[in-house]
């Protein structure tokens, strides 16, 4: 497991842009069915898989994938989203990036 700090934009409360903060937060670990990814390009996100959690079979470390990481069925937005160096995403929300596209082109 990674245990280092990262730079991120995040929020601790609901609100407009004024609640968005910038600072250091802990790089999260990949839990069951989830993937830790290194953000390369954001909007929708194109990432490199850094760590896979237990039960992840769709991707492996080093794979380049793209996604919209928000799982709107949970009713709760992610605290950091893709405005961070590393983030967690559920394996069902990622797809392998086509080889003929760069990471930036795939977003």
């Amino acid at each position: 497991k990674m245990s280092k700090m990262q730079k991120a934009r995040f929020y601790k409360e609901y609100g407009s842009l004024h609640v968005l903060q910038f600072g250091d937060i802990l790089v999260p670990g990949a839990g069951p069915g989830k993937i830790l990814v290194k953000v390369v390009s954001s909007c929708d996100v194109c990432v490199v898989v850094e760590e896979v959690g237990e039960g992840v079979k769709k991707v492996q470390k080093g794979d380049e994938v793209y996604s919209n990481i928000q799982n709107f069925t949970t009713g709760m937005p992610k605290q950091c989203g893709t405005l961070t160096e590393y983030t967690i995403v559920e394996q069902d929300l990622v797809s392998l990036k086509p080889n003929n596209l760069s990471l930036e082109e795939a977003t």
Side-chain angles (χ1 to χ4, degrees), residues 1-6 25-28 36 38 50 85-86:
K1 260 187 165 180
M2 300 180 89
S3 59
K4 63 180 185 177
M5 300 300 284
Q6 65 175 325
I25 63 170
L26 192 63
V27 173
L36 173 67
K38 179 177 174 65
E50 290 289 319
E85 295 176 80
Y86 296 89

Side-chain angles (χ1 to χ4, degrees), residues 2-67:
M2 300 180 89
S3 59
K4 63 180 185 177
M5 300 300 284
Q6 65 175 325
K7 297 289 184 196
R9 292 213 178 267
F10 58 93
Y11 62 89
K12 293 183 178 177
E13 62 184 289
Y14 182 78
S16 64
L17 288 178
H18 77 279
V19 301
L20 195 59
Q21 300 176 35
F22 180 76
D24 293 321
I25 63 170
L26 192 63
V27 173
K34 298 190 178 180
I35 305 162
L36 173 67
V37 294
K38 179 177 174 65
V39 176
V40 176
S41 180
S42 67
C43 179
D44 287 332
V45 68
C46 201
V47 297
V48 176
V49 175
E50 290 289 319
E51 177 185 322
V52 296
E54 182 181 333
V56 172
K57 305 221 184 302
K58 188 174 184 178
V59 297
Q60 57 189 326
K61 184 175 181 175
D63 283 349
E64 295 178 340
V65 299
Y66 65 99
S67 174

Side-chain angles (χ1 to χ4, degrees), residues 44-46 65-67 97-98 101-107:
D44 287 332
V45 68
C46 201
V65 299
Y66 65 99
S67 174
K97 178 190 72 64
L101 295 177
S102 71
L103 288 165
E104 292 78 13
E105 291 170 326
T107 54

